[in-house]
Amino acid sequence: MEVTRNIEGNRSAQFAQRYSRVSMRTIIEVPHPGDVTVLLAAWGVMNSMETKFLTNIAMVPGGGALRSMTKCLELATIIAQGSKAERNINHIKMAWDQLSAGAVA
């Protein structure tokens, strides 16, 4: 937040070089569905229940939801490895419960 504030609001000599490298700030409220599809494919998510659950996480408005989805997959993979199993919807839901503190996906 402070970096953004410095880039956008502080054009002093100290931040001039950073400011000149950022041409236009664009806020994307929700990711493009194609971005979600590509990211899920990269993670090897094929199951429709997993896809639906993770897509709901990724499409939460406000920004940063693709990162939340990725963090969920990272933790779900660790949980699955700990139980010597293939990652599945149960691992994903467990991971989301831990990461979201009860937020609905």
Side-chain angles (χ1 to χ4, degrees):
M1 190 63 131
E2 186 176 332
V3 172
T4 303
R5 194 176 15 240
N6 288 334
I7 290 171
E8 292 179 344
N10 187 343
R11 296 187 188 193
S12 67
Q14 180 182 2
F15 298 103
Q17 189 175 24
R18 274 189 261 171
Y19 185 80
S20 70
R21 291 185 178 161
V22 178
S23 61
M24 184 173 80
R25 181 175 176 210
T26 303
I27 297 171
I28 300 172
E29 285 296 316
V30 292
H32 187 278
D35 295 338
V36 177
T37 301
V38 168
L39 193 52
L40 289 174
W43 273 96
V45 176
M46 306 282 188
N47 178 288
S48 62
M49 284 183 8
E50 294 172 10
T51 299
K52 183 177 179 181
F53 187 84
L54 291 162
T55 299
N56 286 340
I57 293 170
M59 300 305 282
V60 171
L66 283 177
R67 183 173 189 272
S68 295
M69 184 186 77
T70 299
K71 292 290 183 188
C72 182
L73 280 163
E74 288 172 347
L75 182 56
T77 301
I78 291 168
I79 293 168
Q81 289 172 344
S83 57
K84 297 185 182 354
E86 292 287 321
R87 185 188 63 225
N88 61 45
I89 189 67
N90 295 324
H91 300 121
I92 292 168
K93 287 182 175 181
M94 265 191 271
W96 183 244
D97 284 344
Q98 289 181 34
L99 293 170
S100 67
V104 177

PDB file of all heavy atoms in Angstrom, residues 21-60:
ATOM      1  N   ARG A  21       8.226   4.868 -14.382  1.00  0.00           N
ATOM      2  CA  ARG A  21       8.140   3.511 -14.941  1.00  0.00           C
ATOM      3  C   ARG A  21       6.730   2.928 -14.888  1.00  0.00           C
ATOM      4  O   ARG A  21       6.481   1.875 -15.454  1.00  0.00           O
ATOM      5  CB  ARG A  21       9.109   2.590 -14.210  1.00  0.00           C
ATOM      6  CG  ARG A  21      10.534   2.960 -14.535  1.00  0.00           C
ATOM      7  CD  ARG A  21      11.501   2.015 -13.926  1.00  0.00           C
ATOM      8  NE  ARG A  21      12.849   2.424 -14.337  1.00  0.00           N
ATOM      9  CZ  ARG A  21      13.939   2.061 -13.736  1.00  0.00           C
ATOM     10  NH1 ARG A  21      13.875   1.274 -12.683  1.00  0.00           N
ATOM     11  NH2 ARG A  21      15.103   2.460 -14.169  1.00  0.00           N
ATOM     12  N   VAL A  22       5.828   3.579 -14.220  1.00  0.00           N
ATOM     13  CA  VAL A  22       4.451   3.111 -14.139  1.00  0.00           C
ATOM     14  C   VAL A  22       3.608   4.050 -14.984  1.00  0.00           C
ATOM     15  O   VAL A  22       3.420   5.205 -14.638  1.00  0.00           O
ATOM     16  CB  VAL A  22       3.945   3.101 -12.673  1.00  0.00           C
ATOM     17  CG1 VAL A  22       2.488   2.654 -12.620  1.00  0.00           C
ATOM     18  CG2 VAL A  22       4.836   2.214 -11.819  1.00  0.00           C
ATOM     19  N   SER A  23       3.094   3.520 -16.102  1.00  0.00           N
ATOM     20  CA  SER A  23       2.374   4.410 -17.005  1.00  0.00           C
ATOM     21  C   SER A  23       0.918   4.597 -16.600  1.00  0.00           C
ATOM     22  O   SER A  23       0.406   5.697 -16.631  1.00  0.00           O
ATOM     23  CB  SER A  23       2.444   3.888 -18.432  1.00  0.00           C
ATOM     24  OG  SER A  23       1.844   2.618 -18.521  1.00  0.00           O
ATOM     25  N   MET A  24       0.246   3.519 -16.242  1.00  0.00           N
ATOM     26  CA  MET A  24      -1.162   3.642 -15.907  1.00  0.00           C
ATOM     27  C   MET A  24      -1.541   2.489 -14.982  1.00  0.00           C
ATOM     28  O   MET A  24      -1.308   1.330 -15.286  1.00  0.00           O
ATOM     29  CB  MET A  24      -2.015   3.583 -17.173  1.00  0.00           C
ATOM     30  CG  MET A  24      -3.473   3.807 -16.930  1.00  0.00           C
ATOM     31  SD  MET A  24      -4.432   3.921 -18.452  1.00  0.00           S
ATOM     32  CE  MET A  24      -4.604   2.207 -18.876  1.00  0.00           C
ATOM     33  N   ARG A  25      -2.122   2.821 -13.878  1.00  0.00           N
ATOM     34  CA  ARG A  25      -2.560   1.796 -12.929  1.00  0.00           C
ATOM     35  C   ARG A  25      -3.940   1.312 -13.346  1.00  0.00           C
ATOM     36  O   ARG A  25      -4.846   2.100 -13.605  1.00  0.00           O
ATOM     37  CB  ARG A  25      -2.612   2.370 -11.523  1.00  0.00           C
ATOM     38  CG  ARG A  25      -3.032   1.362 -10.508  1.00  0.00           C
ATOM     39  CD  ARG A  25      -2.947   1.948  -9.122  1.00  0.00           C
ATOM     40  NE  ARG A  25      -3.457   0.979  -8.178  1.00  0.00           N
ATOM     41  CZ  ARG A  25      -4.040   1.296  -7.057  1.00  0.00           C
ATOM     42  NH1 ARG A  25      -4.170   2.548  -6.704  1.00  0.00           N
ATOM     43  NH2 ARG A  25      -4.477   0.366  -6.253  1.00  0.00           N
ATOM     44  N   THR A  26      -4.099  -0.006 -13.431  1.00  0.00           N
ATOM     45  CA  THR A  26      -5.370  -0.602 -13.789  1.00  0.00           C
ATOM     46  C   THR A  26      -5.793  -1.546 -12.677  1.00  0.00           C
ATOM     47  O   THR A  26      -5.034  -2.431 -12.300  1.00  0.00           O
ATOM     48  CB  THR A  26      -5.248  -1.391 -15.110  1.00  0.00           C
ATOM     49  OG1 THR A  26      -4.784  -0.519 -16.130  1.00  0.00           O
ATOM     50  CG2 THR A  26      -6.575  -1.993 -15.509  1.00  0.00           C
ATOM     51  N   ILE A  27      -6.977  -1.329 -12.164  1.00  0.00           N
ATOM     52  CA  ILE A  27      -7.512  -2.196 -11.125  1.00  0.00           C
ATOM     53  C   ILE A  27      -8.456  -3.191 -11.793  1.00  0.00           C
ATOM     54  O   ILE A  27      -9.387  -2.798 -12.487  1.00  0.00           O
ATOM     55  CB  ILE A  27      -8.248  -1.386 -10.043  1.00  0.00           C
ATOM     56  CG1 ILE A  27      -7.259  -0.450  -9.356  1.00  0.00           C
ATOM     57  CG2 ILE A  27      -8.928  -2.314  -9.048  1.00  0.00           C
ATOM     58  CD1 ILE A  27      -7.889   0.543  -8.416  1.00  0.00           C
ATOM     59  N   ILE A  28      -8.195  -4.466 -11.575  1.00  0.00           N
ATOM     60  CA  ILE A  28      -9.037  -5.514 -12.137  1.00  0.00           C
ATOM     61  C   ILE A  28      -9.801  -6.139 -10.974  1.00  0.00           C
ATOM     62  O   ILE A  28      -9.207  -6.780 -10.115  1.00  0.00           O
ATOM     63  CB  ILE A  28      -8.186  -6.562 -12.878  1.00  0.00           C
ATOM     64  CG1 ILE A  28      -7.422  -5.890 -14.014  1.00  0.00           C
ATOM     65  CG2 ILE A  28      -9.062  -7.702 -13.387  1.00  0.00           C
ATOM     66  CD1 ILE A  28      -6.403  -6.779 -14.685  1.00  0.00           C
ATOM     67  N   GLU A  29     -11.095  -5.904 -10.956  1.00  0.00           N
ATOM     68  CA  GLU A  29     -11.927  -6.377  -9.838  1.00  0.00           C
ATOM     69  C   GLU A  29     -12.018  -7.888  -9.778  1.00  0.00           C
ATOM     70  O   GLU A  29     -11.955  -8.479  -8.704  1.00  0.00           O
ATOM     71  CB  GLU A  29     -13.332  -5.773  -9.921  1.00  0.00           C
ATOM     72  CG  GLU A  29     -13.392  -4.320  -9.511  1.00  0.00           C
ATOM     73  CD  GLU A  29     -13.036  -4.102  -8.045  1.00  0.00           C
ATOM     74  OE1 GLU A  29     -13.507  -4.859  -7.172  1.00  0.00           O
ATOM     75  OE2 GLU A  29     -12.275  -3.172  -7.766  1.00  0.00           O
ATOM     76  N   VAL A  30     -12.224  -8.533 -10.923  1.00  0.00           N
ATOM     77  CA  VAL A  30     -12.255  -9.998 -10.988  1.00  0.00           C
ATOM     78  C   VAL A  30     -11.420 -10.431 -12.191  1.00  0.00           C
ATOM     79  O   VAL A  30     -11.364  -9.727 -13.195  1.00  0.00           O
ATOM     80  CB  VAL A  30     -13.690 -10.570 -11.108  1.00  0.00           C
ATOM     81  CG1 VAL A  30     -14.484 -10.349  -9.840  1.00  0.00           C
ATOM     82  CG2 VAL A  30     -14.414 -10.020 -12.301  1.00  0.00           C
ATOM     83  N   PRO A  31     -10.770 -11.581 -12.094  1.00  0.00           N
ATOM     84  CA  PRO A  31      -9.946 -12.021 -13.208  1.00  0.00           C
ATOM     85  C   PRO A  31     -10.788 -12.454 -14.401  1.00  0.00           C
ATOM     86  O   PRO A  31     -11.971 -12.781 -14.260  1.00  0.00           O
ATOM     87  CB  PRO A  31      -9.171 -13.210 -12.637  1.00  0.00           C
ATOM     88  CG  PRO A  31     -10.006 -13.714 -11.528  1.00  0.00           C
ATOM     89  CD  PRO A  31     -10.726 -12.514 -10.973  1.00  0.00           C
ATOM     90  N   HIS A  32     -10.172 -12.492 -15.548  1.00  0.00           N
ATOM     91  CA  HIS A  32     -10.815 -13.015 -16.750  1.00  0.00           C
ATOM     92  C   HIS A  32     -10.963 -14.523 -16.561  1.00  0.00           C
ATOM     93  O   HIS A  32     -10.030 -15.183 -16.085  1.00  0.00           O
ATOM     94  CB  HIS A  32      -9.944 -12.701 -17.978  1.00  0.00           C
ATOM     95  CG  HIS A  32     -10.601 -13.045 -19.260  1.00  0.00           C
ATOM     96  ND1 HIS A  32     -10.605 -14.327 -19.758  1.00  0.00           N
ATOM     97  CD2 HIS A  32     -11.289 -12.287 -20.137  1.00  0.00           C
ATOM     98  CE1 HIS A  32     -11.257 -14.341 -20.903  1.00  0.00           C
ATOM     99  NE2 HIS A  32     -11.678 -13.114 -21.148  1.00  0.00           N
ATOM    100  N   PRO A  33     -12.117 -15.091 -16.904  1.00  0.00           N
ATOM    101  CA  PRO A  33     -12.301 -16.538 -16.723  1.00  0.00           C
ATOM    102  C   PRO A  33     -11.209 -17.377 -17.395  1.00  0.00           C
ATOM    103  O   PRO A  33     -10.830 -18.428 -16.880  1.00  0.00           O
ATOM    104  CB  PRO A  33     -13.674 -16.805 -17.344  1.00  0.00           C
ATOM    105  CG  PRO A  33     -14.399 -15.506 -17.197  1.00  0.00           C
ATOM    106  CD  PRO A  33     -13.339 -14.438 -17.377  1.00  0.00           C
ATOM    107  N   GLY A  34     -10.687 -16.893 -18.515  1.00  0.00           N
ATOM    108  CA  GLY A  34      -9.611 -17.613 -19.196  1.00  0.00           C
ATOM    109  C   GLY A  34      -8.351 -17.701 -18.364  1.00  0.00           C
ATOM    110  O   GLY A  34      -7.622 -18.700 -18.422  1.00  0.00           O
ATOM    111  N   ASP A  35      -8.092 -16.669 -17.561  1.00  0.00           N
ATOM    112  CA  ASP A  35      -6.932 -16.694 -16.666  1.00  0.00           C
ATOM    113  C   ASP A  35      -7.083 -17.786 -15.616  1.00  0.00           C
ATOM    114  O   ASP A  35      -6.129 -18.481 -15.282  1.00  0.00           O
ATOM    115  CB  ASP A  35      -6.738 -15.339 -15.986  1.00  0.00           C
ATOM    116  CG  ASP A  35      -6.384 -14.233 -16.960  1.00  0.00           C
ATOM    117  OD1 ASP A  35      -5.889 -14.543 -18.061  1.00  0.00           O
ATOM    118  OD2 ASP A  35      -6.613 -13.052 -16.615  1.00  0.00           O
ATOM    119  N   VAL A  36      -8.294 -17.921 -15.105  1.00  0.00           N
ATOM    120  CA  VAL A  36      -8.570 -18.958 -14.102  1.00  0.00           C
ATOM    121  C   VAL A  36      -8.381 -20.338 -14.730  1.00  0.00           C
ATOM    122  O   VAL A  36      -7.725 -21.216 -14.153  1.00  0.00           O
ATOM    123  CB  VAL A  36      -9.998 -18.813 -13.526  1.00  0.00           C
ATOM    124  CG1 VAL A  36     -10.299 -19.928 -12.539  1.00  0.00           C
ATOM    125  CG2 VAL A  36     -10.181 -17.446 -12.888  1.00  0.00           C
ATOM    126  N   THR A  37      -8.912 -20.525 -15.927  1.00  0.00           N
ATOM    127  CA  THR A  37      -8.809 -21.806 -16.627  1.00  0.00           C
ATOM    128  C   THR A  37      -7.360 -22.205 -16.864  1.00  0.00           C
ATOM    129  O   THR A  37      -6.971 -23.348 -16.607  1.00  0.00           O
ATOM    130  CB  THR A  37      -9.563 -21.731 -17.978  1.00  0.00           C
ATOM    131  OG1 THR A  37     -10.932 -21.405 -17.727  1.00  0.00           O
ATOM    132  CG2 THR A  37      -9.486 -23.043 -18.727  1.00  0.00           C
ATOM    133  N   VAL A  38      -6.552 -21.259 -17.315  1.00  0.00           N
ATOM    134  CA  VAL A  38      -5.142 -21.541 -17.579  1.00  0.00           C
ATOM    135  C   VAL A  38      -4.407 -21.893 -16.290  1.00  0.00           C
ATOM    136  O   VAL A  38      -3.607 -22.830 -16.251  1.00  0.00           O
ATOM    137  CB  VAL A  38      -4.474 -20.332 -18.287  1.00  0.00           C
ATOM    138  CG1 VAL A  38      -2.971 -20.473 -18.319  1.00  0.00           C
ATOM    139  CG2 VAL A  38      -5.027 -20.179 -19.689  1.00  0.00           C
ATOM    140  N   LEU A  39      -4.682 -21.166 -15.229  1.00  0.00           N
ATOM    141  CA  LEU A  39      -4.017 -21.421 -13.953  1.00  0.00           C
ATOM    142  C   LEU A  39      -4.426 -22.789 -13.386  1.00  0.00           C
ATOM    143  O   LEU A  39      -3.576 -23.549 -12.905  1.00  0.00           O
ATOM    144  CB  LEU A  39      -4.342 -20.303 -12.966  1.00  0.00           C
ATOM    145  CG  LEU A  39      -3.516 -20.219 -11.698  1.00  0.00           C
ATOM    146  CD1 LEU A  39      -2.023 -20.207 -11.994  1.00  0.00           C
ATOM    147  CD2 LEU A  39      -3.885 -18.968 -10.924  1.00  0.00           C
ATOM    148  N   LEU A  40      -5.695 -23.115 -13.470  1.00  0.00           N
ATOM    149  CA  LEU A  40      -6.143 -24.430 -13.000  1.00  0.00           C
ATOM    150  C   LEU A  40      -5.509 -25.554 -13.824  1.00  0.00           C
ATOM    151  O   LEU A  40      -5.107 -26.583 -13.270  1.00  0.00           O
ATOM    152  CB  LEU A  40      -7.668 -24.530 -13.044  1.00  0.00           C
ATOM    153  CG  LEU A  40      -8.419 -23.693 -12.012  1.00  0.00           C
ATOM    154  CD1 LEU A  40      -9.921 -23.773 -12.253  1.00  0.00           C
ATOM    155  CD2 LEU A  40      -8.078 -24.115 -10.597  1.00  0.00           C
ATOM    156  N   ALA A  41      -5.391 -25.356 -15.122  1.00  0.00           N
ATOM    157  CA  ALA A  41      -4.751 -26.371 -15.974  1.00  0.00           C
ATOM    158  C   ALA A  41      -3.285 -26.546 -15.586  1.00  0.00           C
ATOM    159  O   ALA A  41      -2.776 -27.668 -15.535  1.00  0.00           O
ATOM    160  CB  ALA A  41      -4.880 -25.977 -17.443  1.00  0.00           C
ATOM    161  N   ALA A  42      -2.611 -25.445 -15.289  1.00  0.00           N
ATOM    162  CA  ALA A  42      -1.208 -25.519 -14.873  1.00  0.00           C
ATOM    163  C   ALA A  42      -1.053 -26.308 -13.581  1.00  0.00           C
ATOM    164  O   ALA A  42      -0.043 -26.992 -13.381  1.00  0.00           O
ATOM    165  CB  ALA A  42      -0.632 -24.113 -14.721  1.00  0.00           C
ATOM    166  N   TRP A  43      -2.036 -26.229 -12.715  1.00  0.00           N
ATOM    167  CA  TRP A  43      -2.013 -26.976 -11.462  1.00  0.00           C
ATOM    168  C   TRP A  43      -2.512 -28.409 -11.631  1.00  0.00           C
ATOM    169  O   TRP A  43      -2.525 -29.187 -10.681  1.00  0.00           O
ATOM    170  CB  TRP A  43      -2.866 -26.264 -10.405  1.00  0.00           C
ATOM    171  CG  TRP A  43      -2.116 -25.230  -9.656  1.00  0.00           C
ATOM    172  CD1 TRP A  43      -2.087 -23.887  -9.906  1.00  0.00           C
ATOM    173  CD2 TRP A  43      -1.286 -25.439  -8.513  1.00  0.00           C
ATOM    174  NE1 TRP A  43      -1.278 -23.259  -8.997  1.00  0.00           N
ATOM    175  CE2 TRP A  43      -0.779 -24.191  -8.126  1.00  0.00           C
ATOM    176  CE3 TRP A  43      -0.918 -26.557  -7.779  1.00  0.00           C
ATOM    177  CZ2 TRP A  43       0.072 -24.029  -7.039  1.00  0.00           C
ATOM    178  CZ3 TRP A  43      -0.072 -26.407  -6.697  1.00  0.00           C
ATOM    179  CH2 TRP A  43       0.414 -25.149  -6.343  1.00  0.00           C
ATOM    180  N   GLY A  44      -2.968 -28.738 -12.827  1.00  0.00           N
ATOM    181  CA  GLY A  44      -3.463 -30.097 -13.080  1.00  0.00           C
ATOM    182  C   GLY A  44      -4.834 -30.368 -12.500  1.00  0.00           C
ATOM    183  O   GLY A  44      -5.187 -31.514 -12.254  1.00  0.00           O
ATOM    184  N   VAL A  45      -5.626 -29.334 -12.313  1.00  0.00           N
ATOM    185  CA  VAL A  45      -6.982 -29.501 -11.772  1.00  0.00           C
ATOM    186  C   VAL A  45      -7.906 -29.871 -12.928  1.00  0.00           C
ATOM    187  O   VAL A  45      -8.074 -29.095 -13.865  1.00  0.00           O
ATOM    188  CB  VAL A  45      -7.478 -28.212 -11.072  1.00  0.00           C
ATOM    189  CG1 VAL A  45      -8.914 -28.372 -10.618  1.00  0.00           C
ATOM    190  CG2 VAL A  45      -6.570 -27.857  -9.914  1.00  0.00           C
ATOM    191  N   MET A  46      -8.470 -31.077 -12.859  1.00  0.00           N
ATOM    192  CA  MET A  46      -9.338 -31.574 -13.924  1.00  0.00           C
ATOM    193  C   MET A  46     -10.748 -31.866 -13.419  1.00  0.00           C
ATOM    194  O   MET A  46     -11.704 -31.814 -14.171  1.00  0.00           O
ATOM    195  CB  MET A  46      -8.768 -32.867 -14.513  1.00  0.00           C
ATOM    196  CG  MET A  46      -7.350 -32.775 -14.974  1.00  0.00           C
ATOM    197  SD  MET A  46      -7.271 -31.950 -16.553  1.00  0.00           S
ATOM    198  CE  MET A  46      -5.557 -32.188 -16.951  1.00  0.00           C
ATOM    199  N   ASN A  47     -10.872 -32.191 -12.159  1.00  0.00           N
ATOM    200  CA  ASN A  47     -12.140 -32.564 -11.557  1.00  0.00           C
ATOM    201  C   ASN A  47     -13.105 -31.386 -11.560  1.00  0.00           C
ATOM    202  O   ASN A  47     -12.735 -30.272 -11.182  1.00  0.00           O
ATOM    203  CB  ASN A  47     -11.871 -33.060 -10.125  1.00  0.00           C
ATOM    204  CG  ASN A  47     -13.118 -33.431  -9.388  1.00  0.00           C
ATOM    205  OD1 ASN A  47     -13.891 -32.556  -9.013  1.00  0.00           O
ATOM    206  ND2 ASN A  47     -13.306 -34.718  -9.174  1.00  0.00           N
ATOM    207  N   SER A  48     -14.350 -31.622 -11.965  1.00  0.00           N
ATOM    208  CA  SER A  48     -15.313 -30.519 -12.087  1.00  0.00           C
ATOM    209  C   SER A  48     -15.683 -29.899 -10.737  1.00  0.00           C
ATOM    210  O   SER A  48     -15.886 -28.686 -10.645  1.00  0.00           O
ATOM    211  CB  SER A  48     -16.570 -30.977 -12.822  1.00  0.00           C
ATOM    212  OG  SER A  48     -17.214 -32.006 -12.110  1.00  0.00           O
ATOM    213  N   MET A  49     -15.760 -30.720  -9.674  1.00  0.00           N
ATOM    214  CA  MET A  49     -16.067 -30.160  -8.351  1.00  0.00           C
ATOM    215  C   MET A  49     -14.924 -29.264  -7.876  1.00  0.00           C
ATOM    216  O   MET A  49     -15.165 -28.194  -7.314  1.00  0.00           O
ATOM    217  CB  MET A  49     -16.318 -31.270  -7.324  1.00  0.00           C
ATOM    218  CG  MET A  49     -17.673 -31.913  -7.468  1.00  0.00           C
ATOM    219  SD  MET A  49     -18.111 -33.197  -6.246  1.00  0.00           S
ATOM    220  CE  MET A  49     -16.864 -33.197  -5.043  1.00  0.00           C
ATOM    221  N   GLU A  50     -13.697 -29.695  -8.091  1.00  0.00           N
ATOM    222  CA  GLU A  50     -12.533 -28.898  -7.714  1.00  0.00           C
ATOM    223  C   GLU A  50     -12.490 -27.610  -8.530  1.00  0.00           C
ATOM    224  O   GLU A  50     -12.246 -26.532  -7.983  1.00  0.00           O
ATOM    225  CB  GLU A  50     -11.246 -29.698  -7.924  1.00  0.00           C
ATOM    226  CG  GLU A  50     -11.113 -30.890  -7.015  1.00  0.00           C
ATOM    227  CD  GLU A  50      -9.924 -31.773  -7.360  1.00  0.00           C
ATOM    228  OE1 GLU A  50      -9.084 -31.364  -8.180  1.00  0.00           O
ATOM    229  OE2 GLU A  50      -9.835 -32.879  -6.800  1.00  0.00           O
ATOM    230  N   THR A  51     -12.744 -27.739  -9.824  1.00  0.00           N
ATOM    231  CA  THR A  51     -12.737 -26.568 -10.712  1.00  0.00           C
ATOM    232  C   THR A  51     -13.766 -25.543 -10.268  1.00  0.00           C
ATOM    233  O   THR A  51     -13.474 -24.349 -10.174  1.00  0.00           O
ATOM    234  CB  THR A  51     -13.006 -26.996 -12.169  1.00  0.00           C
ATOM    235  OG1 THR A  51     -11.964 -27.882 -12.584  1.00  0.00           O
ATOM    236  CG2 THR A  51     -13.079 -25.808 -13.097  1.00  0.00           C
ATOM    237  N   LYS A  52     -14.964 -25.998  -9.966  1.00  0.00           N
ATOM    238  CA  LYS A  52     -16.035 -25.079  -9.547  1.00  0.00           C
ATOM    239  C   LYS A  52     -15.671 -24.393  -8.229  1.00  0.00           C
ATOM    240  O   LYS A  52     -15.807 -23.172  -8.094  1.00  0.00           O
ATOM    241  CB  LYS A  52     -17.353 -25.836  -9.410  1.00  0.00           C
ATOM    242  CG  LYS A  52     -18.517 -24.954  -9.059  1.00  0.00           C
ATOM    243  CD  LYS A  52     -19.817 -25.719  -8.998  1.00  0.00           C
ATOM    244  CE  LYS A  52     -20.932 -24.763  -8.609  1.00  0.00           C
ATOM    245  NZ  LYS A  52     -22.221 -25.408  -8.508  1.00  0.00           N
ATOM    246  N   PHE A  53     -15.203 -25.169  -7.268  1.00  0.00           N
ATOM    247  CA  PHE A  53     -14.857 -24.618  -5.955  1.00  0.00           C
ATOM    248  C   PHE A  53     -13.741 -23.583  -6.087  1.00  0.00           C
ATOM    249  O   PHE A  53     -13.825 -22.471  -5.551  1.00  0.00           O
ATOM    250  CB  PHE A  53     -14.431 -25.754  -5.017  1.00  0.00           C
ATOM    251  CG  PHE A  53     -14.226 -25.322  -3.597  1.00  0.00           C
ATOM    252  CD1 PHE A  53     -15.290 -25.242  -2.721  1.00  0.00           C
ATOM    253  CD2 PHE A  53     -12.966 -24.985  -3.131  1.00  0.00           C
ATOM    254  CE1 PHE A  53     -15.112 -24.838  -1.403  1.00  0.00           C
ATOM    255  CE2 PHE A  53     -12.769 -24.582  -1.817  1.00  0.00           C
ATOM    256  CZ  PHE A  53     -13.841 -24.509  -0.949  1.00  0.00           C
ATOM    257  N   LEU A  54     -12.692 -23.934  -6.816  1.00  0.00           N
ATOM    258  CA  LEU A  54     -11.547 -23.035  -6.970  1.00  0.00           C
ATOM    259  C   LEU A  54     -11.892 -21.809  -7.811  1.00  0.00           C
ATOM    260  O   LEU A  54     -11.392 -20.710  -7.556  1.00  0.00           O
ATOM    261  CB  LEU A  54     -10.362 -23.799  -7.559  1.00  0.00           C
ATOM    262  CG  LEU A  54      -9.755 -24.830  -6.597  1.00  0.00           C
ATOM    263  CD1 LEU A  54      -8.907 -25.837  -7.358  1.00  0.00           C
ATOM    264  CD2 LEU A  54      -8.953 -24.131  -5.509  1.00  0.00           C
ATOM    265  N   THR A  55     -12.751 -21.981  -8.807  1.00  0.00           N
ATOM    266  CA  THR A  55     -13.185 -20.833  -9.618  1.00  0.00           C
ATOM    267  C   THR A  55     -13.958 -19.842  -8.750  1.00  0.00           C
ATOM    268  O   THR A  55     -13.792 -18.629  -8.893  1.00  0.00           O
ATOM    269  CB  THR A  55     -14.034 -21.300 -10.814  1.00  0.00           C
ATOM    270  OG1 THR A  55     -13.233 -22.145 -11.639  1.00  0.00           O
ATOM    271  CG2 THR A  55     -14.541 -20.122 -11.631  1.00  0.00           C
ATOM    272  N   ASN A  56     -14.777 -20.339  -7.834  1.00  0.00           N
ATOM    273  CA  ASN A  56     -15.499 -19.447  -6.921  1.00  0.00           C
ATOM    274  C   ASN A  56     -14.520 -18.631  -6.072  1.00  0.00           C
ATOM    275  O   ASN A  56     -14.752 -17.445  -5.818  1.00  0.00           O
ATOM    276  CB  ASN A  56     -16.443 -20.241  -6.020  1.00  0.00           C
ATOM    277  CG  ASN A  56     -17.662 -20.724  -6.745  1.00  0.00           C
ATOM    278  OD1 ASN A  56     -18.026 -20.220  -7.794  1.00  0.00           O
ATOM    279  ND2 ASN A  56     -18.307 -21.742  -6.202  1.00  0.00           N
ATOM    280  N   ILE A  57     -13.441 -19.249  -5.652  1.00  0.00           N
ATOM    281  CA  ILE A  57     -12.421 -18.509  -4.892  1.00  0.00           C
ATOM    282  C   ILE A  57     -11.792 -17.444  -5.777  1.00  0.00           C
ATOM    283  O   ILE A  57     -11.651 -16.286  -5.378  1.00  0.00           O
ATOM    284  CB  ILE A  57     -11.332 -19.468  -4.361  1.00  0.00           C
ATOM    285  CG1 ILE A  57     -11.915 -20.409  -3.301  1.00  0.00           C
ATOM    286  CG2 ILE A  57     -10.146 -18.678  -3.794  1.00  0.00           C
ATOM    287  CD1 ILE A  57     -10.982 -21.536  -2.891  1.00  0.00           C
ATOM    288  N   ALA A  58     -11.430 -17.833  -6.992  1.00  0.00           N
ATOM    289  CA  ALA A  58     -10.728 -16.922  -7.900  1.00  0.00           C
ATOM    290  C   ALA A  58     -11.570 -15.737  -8.341  1.00  0.00           C
ATOM    291  O   ALA A  58     -11.027 -14.681  -8.676  1.00  0.00           O
ATOM    292  CB  ALA A  58     -10.247 -17.684  -9.139  1.00  0.00           C
ATOM    293  N   MET A  59     -12.880 -15.882  -8.341  1.00  0.00           N
ATOM    294  CA  MET A  59     -13.751 -14.826  -8.857  1.00  0.00           C
ATOM    295  C   MET A  59     -14.294 -13.896  -7.774  1.00  0.00           C
ATOM    296  O   MET A  59     -15.159 -13.065  -8.051  1.00  0.00           O
ATOM    297  CB  MET A  59     -14.908 -15.448  -9.653  1.00  0.00           C
ATOM    298  CG  MET A  59     -14.455 -16.270 -10.856  1.00  0.00           C
ATOM    299  SD  MET A  59     -13.397 -15.380 -12.017  1.00  0.00           S
ATOM    300  CE  MET A  59     -14.599 -14.416 -12.887  1.00  0.00           C
ATOM    301  N   VAL A  60     -13.771 -13.982  -6.567  1.00  0.00           N
ATOM    302  CA  VAL A  60     -14.201 -13.069  -5.509  1.00  0.00           C
ATOM    303  C   VAL A  60     -13.777 -11.649  -5.897  1.00  0.00           C
ATOM    304  O   VAL A  60     -12.606 -11.407  -6.197  1.00  0.00           O
ATOM    305  CB  VAL A  60     -13.590 -13.470  -4.147  1.00  0.00           C
ATOM    306  CG1 VAL A  60     -13.860 -12.415  -3.096  1.00  0.00           C
ATOM    307  CG2 VAL A  60     -14.126 -14.819  -3.705  1.00  0.00           C
TER     308      VAL A  60
END
